[in-house]
Amino acid sequence: MGHQYELSRIEKLAESLGLLSDRSTGTSKQRQGTSGAVNRIAAPGELSSYPDPETWHEWVEYDSTGEPTEYSVVPTACFNCEAGCGLLTYIDKETGSIRKIEGNPEHPGSRGRNCAKGPATVNQINDPQRIEHPLKRDGPRGSGQWTRVSWDEALDDIAGEMREAIVADRGNEITYHVGRPGHEEYMDRVIQAWGVDGHNSHTNICSAGARAGYGLWHKYDRPSPDFANAEFILLLSAHLESGHYFNPHAQRIMEGMQDGGQLAVVDPRLSNTAAMADFWLPTQPGSEAAVLLAMANVILDEDLYDAEFVRNWVNWEQFLDEEFPDRERSFDSYIETIREVYAGFTPEFAAAESGVDADTIETVAQKVGTAGDRFASHIWRSAASGNDGGWQVSRTLHFLSVLTGSVGTKGGTAPNAWHKFDPHLPNEPPRQRLWDELQLPPEYPFAHYELSQLLPYFLKEGRGKLSVYFTRVFNPVYTYPDGFSWIEALTDEEKVGMHVALTPTWNETAYFADYVLPMGHSPERHDIQSQETHAGTWVTYRQPVLREYAEREGEDVEFTYEANPGEVWEEDEFWIELSWRLDEDGTLGIREHFESPYRDGDGDDPAKMTVDEYYRYIFEHEDNLVELAAEKDMTPLEYMKHHGAFEASENDYELHREPLDESILDADDVTVDEYGTIRRGEKPSSASASDGSDVLGVMVDGEPKRGFPTPTGKQQFYSRTMAEWGWDDLEYTVPHYLKSHVHPENVDYENGEMVLVPTFRLPTAIHSRSSNSKWLEEISHNNPVWLHTKDADRLGLETGDLCRVETEIGYYVNEVWVTESIKPGIAAMSHHMGQWKIDRPDNDESDVQEGGDPYGKVTVDLNTEAGRWGMRQVEGIHPFESDDSDSERVWWTDGGVAQNLTHAPHPDPISGMHCWHQKVTIRPAEADDYYGDIYVDTERSFEIYREWLAETKPAPGPDGLRRPKWLKRPIAPPTDSGADAGWFVDGPIGRPGRWDPESLSTTADEE
Ligand code: SF4
């Protein structure tokens, strides 16, 4: 239940003036509509900021002299973060080019709004040094020598290498490694068609910690908060400046606050978000779970919990059976027991751990408790990705949602899958039956997901090799910790056979590729995207807008690169063409999945699927879209091409309470167990052996309900799965507090050590794709070290002074920014700055110059000898000549410092998350230190990798399993198959040799 609040005089005055919405009638909360309609920011007719969709192809704007410009306005979706906001591109009909980009008011997630990075897409398109043609290496890898090739040459060569690996049963030597996906299941389908287990992502340097914590509760591994309807919001992040689903979430947090909701922010840094909050809790990094458990303790002590929800929807009986079998199995006994379990987590204890005062912790706890089912929360990276044991932070945060009964409620926090579009795909291939141990090795059965950050060390240990390695919008040399180990791996052709970089921009990883293939920015390619931005489900259509414009004008376009600048292509068509050539005669069973679902071919030659047919199929299988399009006298594909987005449903709340047909209970093979779990078939031998599909629902008050997709169908307060894999202490089986690797006990403050928080970004930074945007780089282009005044005084440093920051594997040199906006004893530094290109003095011979996005990449001199790497900036940012006269007006010289290069690998032994926080020593720079200097010892980083690896509890788990079957993993092998499907440690791995951890070598695979 939510609490009542009194409006202040100022609020009442603001409401009477129309500055705030009238909360007495709740008008701003009630944005109801029918499914398929768009939640507009204002009623039709009032919205003068955007042209009416009916006029988009004949839109005219007048400049200040009264001259008209005729536009065709074509929608697409932003690709500059994961939020997938809608964009409108304004194509000047006279020049045929994109003149400007604004928000798409038809998009239900972003509702016409964008952050700075959306409109800046136009800079990326006009980047004077963008890659416009396919390039092939023309010298040693990493030498900077390139030659231009045709798409045909590149496709044939790559397909030939892949075919050789697949035919030789080395299919798992093909790996697709993605940074920014931006699509819904497109690549899952392609990789499955190849029959390999080749998906790798960036998740373990991003969100694996948060995912593991949420996943243990209910399999769903992401939160979907209903901020706009919340009465109290708790963020462990900086949503209002850059957090996850930045713009769609930020606008809804503000709506919730305008409606009287309050905001608390946990962050050692006074972020712009914390500055807007009602409560700022500047925690010692790593202490967050202790603070959250103290809040749980207060909620339990003050009887603020939702007894109905906890009793009916939490596996408390199993907890008592397994951990306290001698106690009475009653709900009251459970509550008493968990009061005891968490008794030590008093506000005073949390205050001692976190440095936040106990009264504030208690007050926020009471606010959370009284908000009840209107309590919304979020964490994605932040503390969950900074700390060893960070997965317990999201798990304890969700514990507050469970205690308050706010799971999936209006104003609460739902599982993400309730608000995510699930497309029906054409010609779906079966799932692969292999398990790739280079992606998910036996040491990490709970990882969410692939251990991507450890790939260089796995290769160094001899666990396998890569025959064809695709990196797609992925730049580990710059983005990942210890990028020099990535360079060592990528330059070793024994370890990485063919490296194909699919990228819209030059980047530090593409410099070490064999092929650099230019892929489109958001208005230059196809995708669909759907994200859980609020309590509804939408899908947006990213499309190549110049192609759509050409087609509106009656032109035929066969491939997207015909309409894009140069020969810039798109992934969708590239993968269709590559897969077709990989299996030209159809004998590998791959080609059939790329045949047209609508057309027959010629004789024995089937018709190849077009990208229009692919999306037509998906859209025609979404009933609400079919209906909406028909109302407009359009096909579903025409509707999406014209409007760019569609709302599949809204106000999806409390889906776990959906009733099941009672007749389900009459089936012979359906049973209800002692926990009320309704199950089809035999009860699995372990919780880990259940993939969730055997669980049909749960009995609640004598009625069958949908429940959650876990082994009990309930919220898993207690994780039997953890216990089955040897993590059987209470610290692991229930939400708890694990001391981080940067806990004060592990930091030698006496001798000058500090904690570095490197997990935040500036709102204008796009991982490694901002450096081609003149507007974004002009706004922010450096990342000084934040130091509190006390620390700066202690170290004798002032703002602008150079300091040396020593990590476990090296150091970097950067400027200091002295501020009160950081907790004393903590240093902070934004990532996503300090991009670099290599100084190429001898490169005049090459017929293609390697580019470098000169708005944001500094030029460096790179040296290496026996695992020791040094980097020195030899040229900063400067004006340059190009077709864009702005390039000669560049006034900044600073490009920042690439700190991630100096970070040691820290894989969390359970979630697999790279624990970003670093123990560092900061001191004034030495006499021969220069701004941006970097030094790293990769031999030491390898040793640290091995130290962290030793903390794992490797598979096998119950029955020889590699991983609990019910936990999520992208593109998992089929769980209902036998031992030949890869789920078991002795199952097929698709490589010639098995890794032997004892010998640091491979041994013959006995199979
Ligand atoms: S939040 Fe900004 S960068 Fe992210 S999708 Fe929206 S407009 Fe693009």
Side-chain angles (χ1 to χ4, degrees), residues 78-85 87 113-118 246-248:
C78 184
F79 188 58
N80 283 340
C81 85
E82 60 285 273
C85 298
L87 299 177
R113 302 170 188 173
N114 297 109
C115 76
K117 293 180 281 189
F246 171 20
N247 156 53

Side-chain angles (χ1 to χ4, degrees), residues 295-374:
M295 292 181 188
N297 195 355
V298 170
I299 289 168
L300 285 165
D301 267 3
E302 299 188 13
D303 285 335
L304 295 172
Y305 60 92
D306 183 332
E308 183 282 326
F309 183 84
V310 179
R311 180 186 291 113
N312 289 328
W313 299 102
V314 173
N315 70 338
W316 56 268
E317 291 110 322
Q318 190 179 34
F319 166 67
L320 289 177
D321 285 354
E322 303 278 345
E323 295 284 359
F324 296 91
D326 298 334
R327 297 200 176 183
E328 183 189 14
R329 202 219 258 185
S330 69
F331 184 64
D332 287 346
S333 166
Y334 167 66
I335 294 295
E336 275 318 300
T337 302
I338 60 172
R339 279 186 176 134
E340 287 173 28
V341 167
Y342 296 118
F345 290 97
T346 59
E348 290 70 27
F349 170 79
E353 289 294 288
S354 67
V356 177
D357 69 87
D359 285 349
T360 303
I361 294 170
E362 190 169 354
T363 302
V364 170
Q366 288 161 344
K367 295 271 181 187
V368 170
T370 51
D373 59 10
R374 291 205 166 186

Side-chain angles (χ1 to χ4, degrees), residues 133-139 143-150 153 506 842-851:
H133 304 281
L135 302 177
K136 186 177 183 183
R137 168 164 72 91
D138 193 24
S143 65
Q145 292 161 284
W146 301 93
T147 190
R148 187 170 151 180
V149 293
S150 68
E153 284 173 80
W506 281 107
D842 304 316
N843 212 18
D844 297 342
E845 300 300 311
S846 185
D847 68 341
V848 177
Q849 286 301 305
E850 197 169 71

